[in-house]
Amino acid sequence: MTTTNASPAANQMWGGRFAEGPDAIMQAINASIGFDQRLYAQDIAGSRAHAAMLAAQGIITPNDAEAIREGLLTVLSEIETGNFPFKVELEDIHMNVEARLKEIIGAPAGRLHTARSRNDQVAVDFRLWVRDQCDAAIAGLTALMRAFLAQAEAGADWVMPGFTHLQTAQPVTWGHHMMAYVEMFARDRSRFMDARARMNECPLGAAALAGTSFPIDRMATARALGFDRPTANSLDSVSDRDFALEFLAASSICAMHLSRFAEELVIWSSAQFRFVRLSDRWTTGSSIMPQKKNPDAAELLRAKIGRILGATVALFTVMKGLPLTYSKDMQEDKEQVFDAADTLMLGLAAMTGMVADMAANRESLAAAAASGFSTATDLADWLVRELGLPFREAHHVTGTLVAMAESQGCDLPDLTLAQMQSVHSGIRADVFEVLGIENSVRSRRSYGGTAPDQVRAQIARWKEHLG
């Protein structure tokens, strides 16, 4: 008779194939319960749907199905109240739940795993979790868009400088600038919506990789879990992590947009700009310089793109060389996605708070808009429109006038008509009507332009769309 020192608990997951339990280091690298316990709600939901389907198909008895259902509800309650005994030796959330279910209801628990594998089980758990995160991101982005809409509506006709290369380019309106971010975050919102729609197929029933010989009803479990349909290929079902990659890609683009506006807040709130004032809720002081009011929340948001983009690259790296179907490498998918999702939701909440609280300095914005020859393009357009000059000639005349004003330490509207006529004799006194910043922004009436009436039209469109 052969004996072994392995305890029954050490090899209960793998049955009779392994005589000895795992080495402590192997157990440490193999176990995922330290992080995948976050999937508990999805794991229990999937198990309940699976058990109900097994009973409906006559694969298990109604009594066993009822015992499983009640037992799973007890497990769910224990986890949610912090009374669940998670065990590292049981590896993951699936085996922890199943082992505890057996302690509660006994033999019927062993029937739960009929016609499924941990491969399709984790695939459905993770897909459900990521789908929930898409919903959370969509809600967070909707709130952020509403905060930008409120800012845009309040300052639809407030003039500020528009920049290229962070140099003053042309006057725009505060409302127009805020609406640029509404458009950006709307694209992010649509990306999460698209990703959610694409991932809404149920892998449960693919089993280990080849499907099952049991007469299961995959459409029933798909419907029970809120999916549109079951996945169509069992090999792809257990090996696909595109849904997580799409979520990370959408999160990375969204975080980049958050970072861009965070950068503007850092610049705008500086003493050199004074475009906005951030509330005390989102700033900190200095331990040595009492005058400081640091935009720390914006700076941290500017940095957090690194965590999300890093998670995206990490998961692409995990998946890029895997043959079909499941490989243990794929256990490394969840921590990256969990961290990225947490970081994104924190960033969306913080940015929504900052945008809602920030106060724009209308006077500073207008003063900056009037500097830096911001109406030079308006002058060139006037020369084309009123005098019939080719644009390149108008561009040259305007450049000469800008150089003249710069040499005299003044702006274009400060030049006299005689000085302008010394460069081009056809210039008339009504040229000064286009050199004011207010006239400049009002004239940009093309669809999507900065004119206040265009800005208000876009605000109304988005308010109606968001409801």
Side-chain angles (χ1 to χ4, degrees), residues 142-300:
T142 302
L144 179 56
M145 290 169 66
R146 286 195 173 109
F148 273 107
L149 280 169
Q151 285 285 349
E153 193 165 27
D157 57 355
W158 297 2
V159 182
M160 67 174 289
F163 298 96
T164 59
H165 310 280
L166 203 55
Q167 306 293 315
T168 299
Q170 294 177 259
V172 296
T173 54
W174 172 259
H176 195 51
H177 200 110
M178 295 297 99
M179 290 303 294
Y181 283 98
V182 171
E183 295 292 333
M184 279 189 217
F185 290 118
R187 291 194 296 274
D188 293 326
R189 187 170 173 265
S190 70
R191 270 184 280 271
F192 284 112
M193 289 175 171
D194 289 346
R196 190 198 193 284
R198 208 164 6 259
M199 73 177 66
N200 206 34
E201 296 181 341
C202 184
L204 191 59
L209 76 163
T212 178
S213 60
F214 288 94
I216 61 173
D217 183 350
R218 293 192 63 205
M219 186 60 75
T221 48
R223 282 195 302 265
L225 294 169
F227 288 106
D228 295 330
R229 64 192 69 86
T231 51
N233 183 284
S234 61
L235 298 172
D236 180 55
S237 299
V238 298
S239 62
D240 169 44
R241 293 297 182 269
D242 289 1
F243 62 92
L245 287 167
E246 280 200 74
F247 172 77
L248 289 175
S251 297
S252 293
I253 298 172
C254 181
M256 176 268 293
H257 290 152
L258 290 172
S259 181
R260 291 186 73 179
F261 191 65
E263 169 72 0
E264 296 206 304
L265 288 179
V266 170
I267 294 170
W268 290 354
S269 62
S270 68
Q272 288 71 31
F273 273 73
R274 298 184 186 278
F275 281 7
V276 300
R277 181 178 58 80
L278 297 176
S279 77
D280 293 346
R281 295 175 62 204
W282 308 105
T283 55
T284 65
S286 166
S287 63
I288 190 173
M289 295 169 284
Q291 83 281 9
K292 295 290 292 299
K293 189 173 183 180
N294 300 322
D296 283 7
E299 291 172 355
L300 287 166

Side-chain angles (χ1 to χ4, degrees), residues 359-426:
N361 186 332
R362 186 175 183 179
E363 291 73 24
S364 293
L365 291 169
S371 65
F373 311 107
S374 65
T375 55
T377 304
D378 296 276
L379 174 56
D381 289 347
W382 184 90
L383 292 169
V384 171
R385 187 172 58 252
E386 298 296 327
L387 303 187
L389 271 62
F391 183 80
R392 287 302 170 199
E393 183 181 347
H395 187 281
H396 177 75
V397 170
T398 301
T400 303
L401 290 170
V402 167
M404 177 186 294
E406 191 171 38
S407 69
Q408 296 184 23
C410 65
D411 208 344
L412 284 172
D414 300 317
L415 294 174
T416 66
L417 179 60
Q419 288 171 320
M420 290 188 178
Q421 289 174 336
S422 71
V423 176
H424 193 285
S425 60

Side-chain angles (χ1 to χ4, degrees), residues 38 73 104 135 156 158 237 262 277 291 323 325-326 349 356 428 430 434 438:
R38 291 183 67 163
L73 289 176
I104 296 169
D135 290 339
W158 297 2
S237 299
R277 181 178 58 80
Q291 83 281 9
T325 59
Y326 181 84
R428 306 186 302 268
D430 58 330
V434 303
E438 300 285 349

Side-chain angles (χ1 to χ4, degrees), residues 301 304-305 307-308 338-348:
L301 270 179
K304 287 188 181 295
I305 172 66
R307 293 176 70 140
I308 297 176
F338 291 163
D339 184 73
D342 291 346
T343 302
L344 178 67
M345 293 310 301
L346 179 63
L348 287 172

